[in-house]
Amino acid sequence: VVPAGALEALTQDLEAEREARCARDADLHERFTREVGELNRRIEEHRSALAEEMAVVLRRVQEHGGHLESLVEREIADRSRESLELRAIMDSVWQRVAAGECRQQRPGGQQSTRSFFGSGADDRPQELVGDQEDINTVYDMVQEAL
């Protein structure tokens, strides 16, 4: 048999322990909530900073991409224009060769010569010497380059 005073002391001790545990649980819960809130705030700050940095980087990439695109388009246009000029020149030369315009053999087996006006400051005629094989070689080289 347990005396009544001992039972009441045990009840008080159990109640005090329960209250102490509840207080510790409340403190732990409050600390946990505060730390989770702090982590959430820091994560949001980092996300916001990262989003701003990504927006700046994306804007720079778009600016540089547009600039590079325009440079590439200009380069393509320049090379296409040069290619067309070379083709036109070579077609003209080929048509002259095919028509026999540049094929004038002199007596004694000498090579044919043509005089063309220079593009220099004096604009005097310049003599060019060549034969059919030279023209074909130049034409083949231009075709390979294109």
Side-chain angles (χ1 to χ4, degrees):
V1 182
V2 180
L7 191 55
E8 190 157 316
L10 183 61
T11 304
Q12 286 177 353
D13 287 343
L14 286 174
E15 185 64 30
E17 187 176 335
R18 185 184 64 80
E19 287 178 10
R21 284 186 182 187
C22 284
R24 278 189 308 223
D25 287 347
D27 289 343
L28 192 60
H29 186 268
E30 179 185 339
R31 180 178 167 202
F32 181 72
T33 302
R34 186 177 57 244
E35 288 181 4
V36 166
E38 179 65 22
L39 285 174
N40 191 24
R41 184 189 62 78
R42 288 174 55 195
I43 288 173
E44 183 59 28
E45 286 175 358
H46 288 290
R47 187 204 60 78
S48 176
L50 183 61
E52 290 173 8
E53 288 177 21
M54 290 296 292
V56 169
V57 167
L58 183 61
R59 184 174 33 86
R60 284 184 189 162
V61 165
Q62 289 172 342
E63 288 172 358
H64 290 301
H67 180 68
L68 287 176
E69 248 180 52
S70 66
L71 288 176
V72 167
E73 288 173 1
R74 189 172 8 166
E75 189 69 23
I76 288 171
D78 289 347
R79 297 305 147 248
S80 294
R81 189 172 41 255
E82 289 175 1
S83 174
L84 289 175
E85 287 175 14
L86 283 174
R87 285 176 191 233
I89 290 169
M90 291 310 299
D91 284 341
S92 172
V93 169
W94 188 252
Q95 289 173 0
R96 287 182 183 176
V97 168
E101 185 178 304
C102 291
R103 252 166 101 211
Q104 297 175 356
Q105 282 289 343
R106 292 189 178 161
Q110 295 176 343
Q111 293 179 330
S112 64
T113 60
R114 289 292 222 184
S115 294
F116 294 95
F117 283 98
S119 60
D122 57 359
D123 280 336
R124 291 190 323 229
Q126 298 174 351
E127 188 173 273
L128 299 176
V129 178
D131 60 3
Q132 181 69 32
E133 186 177 326
D134 292 338
I135 293 172
N136 287 337
T137 302
V138 170
Y139 185 77
D140 290 341
M141 288 171 40
V142 170
Q143 290 291 19
E144 286 177 17
L146 298 177

